[in-house]
Amino acid sequence: MAPRRAESPGRRRIPRRLGSPPGHWRLLAFCALVVLVVLTFQGISTHTIGASTEPHGQSGAPAPLAHSRPILVARGSRLMGAERAPGRRIALTFDDGPDPRWTPKIAAVLRAANVPATFFVVGSQAARHPGLVRRLVRDGHELGNHTFTHAALAQGPLWQRRLQIQLTEAVLVAITGRYARFVRPPYSATPDAVTPAQERALAQVAGRRYYIALADYDSEDWQRRGTKSIVAHATPSGTAGGVIMFHDGGGDRSQTVAAVRALIPRLRARGFRFAPLSELAGVSSSLTAPPASRWERSRGYAFELSVRVAFAVIAVFSAILLAIGVLVAGRALLLLTLATHHTRTTRRRAAAASESLPSVAIVVPAYNEAVGIERSVRSLAASDYPELTVVVVDDGSTDRTAEIVAGLGLDRVHLVRQDNAGKATALNTGIELTDAEVIVMVDGDTQFESHTLRRLVAPLVDPDVGAVSGNTKVGNRRGMLGRWQHIEYVVGFNLDRRMYEVLQCTPTVPGAIGAFPREVLKGVGGVPTDTLAEDTDLTLAIGRTGRRVVYAEEARAWTEAPSTLSALWRQRYRWSFGTMQSVWKHRGALLSRDPRERRIGRRALPYMFLFQILLPLTAPLIDLFALYGLIFTEPLRVLAAWGAFNLVQLGMAVFAFRLDREPLRPLWALPLQQFVYRQLMYLVIIESTVSALQGARAGWRHLPRTGDAVVGAEA
């Protein structure tokens, strides 16, 4: 049939597609950098903290401090005793806090017994719990420095070891306004456990500024051998007092609380007196806890605040991550359950299908589709369907698309030419120029199997059905990118469509293959032209009328997926941006009192917002936390979790491929999809969201075709 030119509503300027505005990519890069810095800072602040354990000498190793008192000062590369004989004085000391559970309980025991003590705090813990630190000071206790992250002070670069002390000092200055000159090295106990190399390293750290505070008696509460054993190790064997080491953090300290409660009256009964550590050292508190200047307090406060902010941000991220996990798990269970139900019901529906076949018009909007338009049109025209018309609307193509269609000479095919006005307008043009009972919309690269059209139209025998979605198949799946999209189509899109039909809230009939009764299209005003995702916009509009949208899994259409990352980006950007436009356009259904709109307003729109917008926006946190876990926690556990996640994904993929009767061979590429493809989708969603928030616009742009798509298993 000779081509006709449709009367165009006037040449409409198609807005230029947004590029990648430097502004919001710089902002995104800055935000990513901030998150990485926060994760690194918080990881260093917490997950380098070791377990509480105190070595007791090394067999055969020299112990230069074996007969020294536990409070030491540096003299060059040596440590010398700084205290007098303790007499019958006892200094109780506690390491590894403050702990929000155990420190208050220990402090309550000391307060009730009117006993002073010295708490050697871990800087990162003090920053997290400044109120506990202030309470200890108000109760009359002294504070000591136990490094910022419970790091060993006898090994590593000197600058790093000094930084551990200085960061904790900064935190204590911010909280109390005073320094803490007593330093207890983590993983240390009594002087006889210090080797010559450790002595030199500790002397370097101490310099002329700090006192190294070890202990005379290690309670060994870190081994949790029982209250009686802890008390026995903490009790002096003779009449001389000294420094006793306990722990108020780093694990379960219930036995420590009980041991301190039992030890105090026991030592008092033997004539011992409890004193602060500074008294045993023979120095005033003005030397062991000197006041800081206003500038030093301000600087310390800024640092302490940054630590608290880091922990708060991580807490928020952790909550988001937990919510993501719950959403993903819930969605997986929902998909598996409802997809199984859908399979059973559709088989019964297929068996009961009517032989009545309405007239059908297939409308093909085409813009620069010369590469594949001939194969597409020939496959559509060859459909096993009696009353069929194929209408190709050439939307101002600048290549040979129209000439190729006109030269086919097929009786069922009609060519219409119009000025470039966009895909939605091209579809409406084709609809207006036909009088068929059913309109089937397809893309310019779509190829049908011979029976596809019959199976697509069959569900429309039910008058309650307002639209039918076909089964879109990737026809160029041999390359890695095509294989990944093939997996996504089968596992993501098709499982979703099964679930949507059961819940009666399908949001999208894909542009590649969809069937609509003419009267339904007329009732919603045709294909909408004011959003970029006209297929989603149209489907939501139909759903709001109360009509059902169903999925015909046997109606297969083969399409050419983007073969380059840039083309994939453009396609998914259009989909994502258009989805956001459509959700916003139909937001009124959320609060509508019309019972026909409830399924769309209370099922489809919330699901789309959660899983197509919000979840992809927050999903990059999964990758960041995985990296965080590999660096700062136990890598084996992180890898095990990643493996479990992939097993779940693989299980769902196998299930989906079985439902679609697809061979399982392509699933070997599924784990690799997590490293490139998923991240690209994140960036697309982020770009689309920023563009939507800016109020930007975008137009229908042609995707480059290769003509590699084929029909059938050889794809």
Side-chain angles (χ1 to χ4, degrees), residues 96-108 110-111 117-144 171-172 175-176 248-250 304 308:
D96 294 356
D99 183 278
R101 181 177 183 185
W102 301 114
T103 301
K105 293 184 178 181
I106 292 172
L110 298 174
R111 190 183 310 114
T118 301
F119 286 81
F120 287 91
V121 300
V122 175
S124 60
Q125 287 294 100
R128 295 180 70 184
H129 310 292
L132 290 179
V133 177
R134 295 189 186 98
R135 191 183 311 170
L136 292 174
V137 174
R138 285 198 301 268
D139 286 351
H141 302 299
E142 293 181 333
L143 299 178
V171 170
L172 293 179
I175 297 173
T176 68
D248 64 321
E304 183 248 349
R308 281 192 288 155

Side-chain angles (χ1 to χ4, degrees), residues 16 38 107 121-122 178 193 321 399 519 538 542 580 587 702:
R16 179 178 59 87
V38 169
V121 300
V122 175
R178 291 181 175 273
L321 196 63
D399 63 3
E519 63 179 32
L538 174 61
I542 292 172
M580 293 178 188
R587 65 190 184 279
H702 171 69

Side-chain angles (χ1 to χ4, degrees), residues 261-279:
R261 184 181 289 114
L263 181 66
I264 292 174
R266 179 175 178 175
L267 294 182
R268 278 178 170 162
R270 291 180 52 185
F272 288 102
R273 180 174 68 85
F274 294 97
L277 193 62
S278 59
E279 183 178 324

Side-chain angles (χ1 to χ4, degrees), residues 224-238:
R224 295 192 289 275
R225 292 176 174 175
T227 301
K228 290 184 179 180
S229 175
I230 294 173
V231 171
H233 281 91
T235 303
S237 56

